Amino acid sequence: MVGPLVGAPPDSDLVSAAQAGDAGALGLVLARHRAGMYAVALALLGHSADAEDAVQEAALIALRCIGDVRDRDAVGPWLRMVVRNACRAQLRRMSAVPVADPVGAVVMDRTYGPPDPAEVLDRHALRDWVWSAMEDLSPGLRLVTMLRYFTDVTSYEDIAALCGTPVGTVRSRLNQARTKLTDALLSSADRVHDDATARTALHRRLAEEIMAAAHRGDITAAMSDGWSPHADVTWPTGKITDMDYLGPAFGRDLSDGVRHDLRNVVAGREVVIWEAALLNPPEDPFHCPPGVVWVHFLDRGRVGRVRLYHPRRR
């Protein structure tokens, strides 16, 4: 455990630097308050691995939400509040009572609902550090982390179903990913990071173009540049097809009056995720599930395979 550093700047200066995109400053803030955060977790969860998990979860939430801290001198109490919310979420999950993402207790706007996770992160420059750090994770760890923290597919059960792995494996991978990311943050390696905002903007534009082409009945042509002609498509039922099946299947839904409304795009170097609402016609409101997630796996910049999944309504 890292203790306070002699001569380190005050919290207010470190928070200002972190909000400007300095990962090292945020690492110092977390190191300074880690003991207090861990004490809160121990008080609520006892001496167990769950307490460390809650502290690591809080560190990742801090990455997303540090830009929302207004009283920079009170970052210590803010971090302890985040830990407390993460612990309560764990306790409720263990009691099998549904609970919202602990981030919601910190950043939710009660009038308009929770913001898009990627938009929260985009409010400050730490996003590039986050994405660079995530790209260092193994593919299995990276995918569950992207789903858990940057999409609406946040429950362990949904992530397990989408990835085709047991829930226990999802828990284990998230624990490993949290450990690696928080360790990387605390070490705060100083290096050049990719421009995650530009990459996400590019893939959002491509997604919008493909969706627009699909509604014109021209999805196959729109995908010709960015998708391998040999790409495999795994459908929510588990059925695996080639690209030739995708266009007609999409067209059948469109002819039945279903429309796709793109809601979120999360883009890494090797994985791109689309989230879309499925808008059914009034005369057939249950034609399709309410939403679909597209997980694209890239091979040298082109989609080599894609997995489709319908999240459960919560």
Side-chain angles (χ1 to χ4, degrees):
M1 187 174 295
V2 182
L5 299 180
V6 177
D11 279 349
S12 58
D13 290 351
L14 291 174
V15 172
S16 294
Q19 291 176 335
D22 186 341
L26 182 56
L28 285 174
V29 170
L30 291 171
R32 175 177 291 171
H33 294 283
R34 191 171 177 83
M37 295 165 68
Y38 192 53
V40 171
L42 287 176
L44 290 172
L45 300 175
H47 290 271
S48 68
D50 290 335
E52 184 62 32
D53 288 347
V55 174
Q56 292 171 344
E57 180 101 357
L60 297 190
I61 292 171
L63 273 169
R64 283 171 50 180
C65 304
I66 193 67
D68 293 330
V69 174
R70 296 292 175 260
D71 186 352
R72 293 163 182 163
D73 288 314
V75 69
W78 180 80
L79 287 169
R80 292 192 291 275
M81 178 188 68
V82 176
V83 174
R84 192 174 295 112
N85 289 332
C87 290
R88 288 171 177 165
Q90 283 202 32
L91 290 170
R92 290 169 183 167
R93 281 197 296 269
M94 288 187 283
S95 301
V97 177
V99 62
D101 186 333
V103 176
V106 180
V107 299
M108 180 178 290
D109 180 316
R110 297 186 182 277
T111 303
Y112 298 103
D116 178 273
E119 289 179 2
V120 172
L121 188 62
D122 276 350
R123 292 176 188 170
H124 58 93
L126 278 168
R127 61 184 178 272
D128 294 340
W129 183 94
V130 174
W131 284 109
S132 293
M134 285 210 307
E135 296 295 353
D136 289 338
L137 299 174
S138 67
L141 300 187
R142 188 187 312 126
L143 178 56
V144 297
T145 304
M146 291 174 71
L147 291 169
R148 169 72 174 167
Y149 293 103
F150 298 97
T151 76
D152 285 334
V153 186
T154 57
S155 75
Y156 294 153
E157 292 76 12
D158 273 341
I159 296 172
L162 195 158
C163 296
T165 60
V167 170
T169 300
V170 171
R171 292 181 185 273
S172 175
R173 289 178 179 176
L174 282 171
N175 286 341
Q176 292 178 59
R178 281 195 294 260
T179 298
K180 290 178 181 294
L181 288 174
T182 52
D183 286 350
L185 179 59
L186 291 172
S187 65
S188 301
D190 187 14
R191 61 178 181 173
V192 176
H193 308 302
D194 291 343
D195 188 341
T197 302
R199 181 172 59 233
T200 297
L202 169 64
H203 282 283
R204 175 173 282 279
R205 185 172 69 253
L206 293 174
E208 290 171 347
E209 290 174 356
I210 288 174
M211 288 293 183
H215 289 134
R216 296 194 304 268
D218 199 21
I219 187 171
T220 302
M223 289 178 166
S224 61
D225 289 338
W227 293 50
S228 166
H230 308 295
D232 289 333
V233 180
T234 302
W235 296 82
T237 59
K239 179 179 180 178
I240 300 176
T241 70
D242 57 21
M243 287 290 295
D244 291 337
Y245 185 87
L246 180 62
F250 207 112
R252 284 192 292 273
D253 280 343
L254 292 175
S255 65
D256 289 334
V258 178
R259 293 294 179 268
H260 290 238
D261 181 15
L262 186 68
R263 298 292 175 86
N264 186 31
V265 174
V266 181
R269 287 199 297 262
E270 296 179 358
V271 179
V272 177
I273 301 172
W274 300 349
E275 292 181 282
L278 297 179
L279 309 178
N280 293 314
E283 65 274 13
D284 188 8
F286 302 107
H287 185 282
C288 284
V292 62
V293 177
W294 301 57
V295 181
H296 308 78
F297 299 91
L298 307 185
D299 181 11
R300 287 171 289 188
R302 304 187 79 194
V303 177
R305 58 190 176 96
V306 64
R307 188 179 185 100
L308 304 177
Y309 178 70
H310 295 303
R312 295 174 300 168
R313 184 189 294 273
R314 291 189 293 278

